[in-house]
Amino acid sequence: MMKKTAVVAGIGKENSIGYGIAKRLSEGGYAVIGLDICPPVKDIDFLHDFMVCDVTDEESVREVFRVVNYADLIVNCVGINRMSPLEHCSLADWNATIRANLTSNFLLLREWVRNHRHGAQKTFIAITSDTGYIPKSNSCAYASSKAGANMFIQATARELNKKYGEEWIVTALALGRVEGTPMDVGTIDDMTRVLGVSREEANAMLNKNIPLGRGTSPEEVAEWVAFLAEHGQFASGNVLRIDGGQLQG
């Protein structure tokens, strides 16, 4: 029996969300193709293949689909967060955040739809954020981009499901804090800089409004992705909030 193929965009480093998802999917029997803007510093032995791709660049994404048009699953884990007060948010940071967190989903899903095989079930999972629902200070670009990504998933799922039915499964995981990832470390760095707090204080602040009192882990996120990949047909068009109840505060 031929293996299913998964493309994971934003595979990043060993402690990243993308890395954890790619590893879990490989363990689950997928042939995993990793995408990232830079090649990994060392070989990742569980990958079937790796391609350098800037998922915010139209031609770079098109090049991927010239090679890969047979995927069963695409997971987009690309994202950045650059915290700053509104008056200090540069246009460059705003545009970079929108491109990474929103435009990447548009480019990946659009090109896949343009190049897909009819009849095979195709699942697109975007890693978004509960910040798309929760207003947070010093995060105008990030919040806007994630709210846009959440709505993009819902709008495109409706369109594709009405046209193709269950041939397309389009959904998102809106995550809360994922501890220890490069973004999490960067957020703590930004909080110490913007708010003038210690790293310990920043860590406590991040967990304060999570009823479970902690963030999740890349491994926990990977289990959600694996479940959706195999059993998530009826979740198409939904943004599943995985944040330990943070929206409730």
Side-chain angles (χ1 to χ4, degrees):
M1 183 177 179
M2 185 178 294
K3 279 188 173 184
K4 290 185 177 181
T5 299
V7 176
V8 179
I11 192 167
K13 300 177 181 179
E14 194 165 346
N15 57 343
S16 70
I17 294 171
Y19 187 99
I21 289 171
K23 187 173 187 294
R24 173 64 179 82
L25 292 174
S26 176
E27 292 169 349
Y30 281 84
V32 180
I33 300 170
L35 306 182
D36 213 298
I37 196 168
C38 296
V41 294
K42 62 180 181 179
D43 289 340
I44 303 175
D45 58 9
F46 56 77
L47 286 183
H48 175 74
D49 199 1
F50 176 87
M51 298 180 67
V52 173
C53 177
D54 177 358
V55 294
T56 72
D57 178 79
E58 186 172 34
E59 185 55 35
S60 188
V61 173
R62 282 177 175 167
E63 182 59 32
V64 168
F65 285 96
R66 291 188 185 105
V67 178
V68 180
N69 59 10
Y70 51 82
D72 301 282
L73 168 66
I74 293 181
V75 186
N76 185 20
C77 308
V78 173
I80 61 173
N81 182 13
R82 297 177 180 175
M83 291 182 64
S84 68
L86 174 61
E87 64 270 27
H88 298 309
C89 181
S90 69
L91 181 59
D93 280 349
W94 172 273
N95 286 339
T97 304
I98 298 295
R99 286 171 65 87
N101 298 347
L102 175 55
T103 305
S104 64
N105 287 298
F106 161 69
L107 291 175
L108 284 167
L109 185 54
R110 186 191 67 174
E111 290 308 309
W112 199 14
V113 171
R114 287 176 171 179
N115 293 279
H116 74 279
R117 295 174 300 155
H118 285 291
Q121 184 172 291
K122 295 160 284 292
T123 300
F124 184 89
I125 301 174
I127 301 299
T128 67
S129 174
D130 66 351
T131 304
Y133 297 105
I134 306 170
K136 296 179 182 178
S137 300
N138 305 306
S139 298
C140 62
Y142 186 73
S144 299
S145 67
K146 291 300 187 178
N150 290 341
M151 183 52 68
F152 172 79
I153 289 299
Q154 294 173 82
T156 54
R158 183 180 190 278
E159 177 180 338
L160 293 173
N161 291 153
K162 280 184 168 291
K163 187 173 184 180
Y164 299 109
E166 289 191 34
E167 186 174 331
W168 282 95
I169 309 301
V170 181
T171 189
L173 292 179
L175 304 180
R177 184 186 185 190
V178 185
E179 293 185 2
T181 63
M183 182 180 289
D184 187 57
V185 172
T187 297
I188 290 176
D189 290 341
D190 285 344
M191 291 175 71
T192 62
R193 173 180 54 83
V194 174
L195 304 177
V197 297
S198 69
R199 298 187 68 82
E200 292 74 18
E201 289 170 327
N203 183 69
M205 290 170 68
L206 288 172
N207 287 337
K208 181 179 179 181
N209 291 323
I210 304 174
L212 292 184
R214 64 169 181 87
T216 187
S217 68
E219 292 75 20
E220 285 182 291
V221 175
E223 289 299 329
W224 280 99
V225 170
F227 177 82
L228 284 175
E230 295 303 315
H231 308 290
Q233 291 88 347
F234 215 62
S236 188
N238 284 273
V239 179
L240 307 179
R241 185 170 49 81
I242 310 300
D243 68 349
Q246 186 169 353
L247 189 60
Q248 283 75 35

